Amino acid sequence: EPEVTQTPSHQVTQMGQEVILRCVPISNHLYFYWYRQILGQKVEFLVSFYNNEISEKSEIFDDQFSVERPDGSNFTLKIRSTKLEDSAMYFCASSPVVDTEAFFGQGTRLTVV
Amino acid sequence: RKEVEQDPGPFNVPEGATVAFNCTYSNSASQSFFWYRQDCRKEPKLLMSVYSSGNEDGRFTAQLNRASQYISLLIRDSKLSDSATYLCVVNSGYSTLTFGKGTMLLVSP
């Protein structure tokens, strides 16, 4: 069964450092997403991406965040200068079309120290 | 603000019990509705989509009431493996899913 894969599974970084989280969406899917979940809280939307550009973004997704599809398979989330409050589980997801169910990767646990 | 509200839980039930989860959403323009389950520290996994006519998948039944902006999930004959957090999820924009905080279910022997 096709699945979304994310690397790394856990990343520890120092405050102020840049991090890049990587995702390989399901191959025939056209829409890609990043969500995050702070421990004990709900899953929150960050950004959606379609046709090589951002489709929608939330207020969480400020200038410190960026997304890129550097090649035909990878989808990345970059946090330029990490803060302690960026510590969370980051989930990548993809869907074949818009306004349908999304399939999630296993997540990257980001810990900022 | 586009919100999805769920019963706070947790629900503790014995094996074989029937359990119902409730959810309300604030965005009347929402068109797509889902139930996901999330095991501890894992990713959300799609349980089922929710259709206006209601739909059933084995022991799971989902209902949608657009007028009341209310969604439900019924689990019959609970199994130990049903223990998880159940997430009500609503499409709240062109490509945005809004998640409820989830209701934890604990099924005991």
Side-chain angles (χ1 to χ4, degrees), chain A residues 1-111:
Chain A
E1 185 178 321
E3 58 181 20
V4 176
T5 57
Q6 291 184 241
T7 53
S9 56
H10 191 190
Q11 171 115 31
V12 181
T13 189
Q14 290 208 324
M15 195 168 53
Q17 295 295 304
E18 175 183 287
V19 294
I20 298 176
L21 310 183
R22 302 179 192 280
C23 168
V24 179
I26 295 172
S27 63
N28 62 345
H29 285 188
L30 300 178
Y31 288 82
F32 315 124
Y33 314 88
W34 284 100
Y35 287 80
R36 80 170 186 192
Q37 187 174 31
I38 295 170
L39 190 63
Q41 298 188 24
K42 63 182 178 181
V43 177
E44 299 175 290
F45 170 76
L46 293 178
V47 66
S48 59
F49 192 85
Y50 169 71
N51 200 25
N52 284 318
E53 59 183 30
I54 289 174
S55 182
E56 287 183 283
K57 60 182 181 179
S58 72
E59 58 195 26
I60 302 169
F61 194 87
D62 62 21
D63 292 344
Q64 293 299 310
F65 291 87
S66 61
V67 289
E68 195 177 32
R69 187 152 163 84
D71 54 43
S73 59
N74 289 284
F75 178 52
T76 62
L77 174 70
K78 183 194 290 188
I79 309 175
R80 248 179 286 283
S81 177
T82 49
K83 307 182 185 70
L84 294 176
E85 54 264 37
D86 293 328
S87 295
M89 183 75 96
Y90 287 81
F91 293 110
C92 174
S94 68
S95 61
V97 295
V98 75
D99 196 20
T100 186
E101 62 269 15
F103 297 88
F104 286 76
Q106 81 280 16
T108 294
R109 180 167 300 282
L110 177 66
T111 303

Side-chain angles (χ1 to χ4, degrees), chain A residues 35 37 48 56 98-99 102 105, chain B residues 32 36 38 43 91 94-96:
Chain A
Y35 287 80
Q37 187 174 31
S48 59
E56 287 183 283
V98 75
D99 196 20
Chain B
S32 303
Y36 280 73
Q38 186 175 32
E43 75 273 22
N91 164 270
Y94 176 68
S95 55
T96 305

Side-chain angles (χ1 to χ4, degrees), chain B residues 14-66:
Chain B
E15 269 187 295
T18 295
V19 60
F21 299 104
N22 302 309
C23 170
T24 57
Y25 60 95
S26 62
N27 185 359
S28 59
S30 296
Q31 295 294 321
S32 303
F33 311 91
F34 312 96
W35 284 101
Y36 280 73
R37 69 170 276 168
Q38 186 175 32
D39 294 288
C40 189
R41 296 183 176 241
K42 301 283 190 182
E43 75 273 22
K45 289 188 177 175
L46 179 69
L47 185 64
M48 57 198 303
S49 301
V50 187
Y51 304 116
S52 295
S53 54
N55 47 303
E56 188 174 306
D57 182 3
R59 299 181 293 109
F60 300 84
T61 300
Q63 298 278 354
L64 168 65
N65 184 322
R66 285 185 187 269

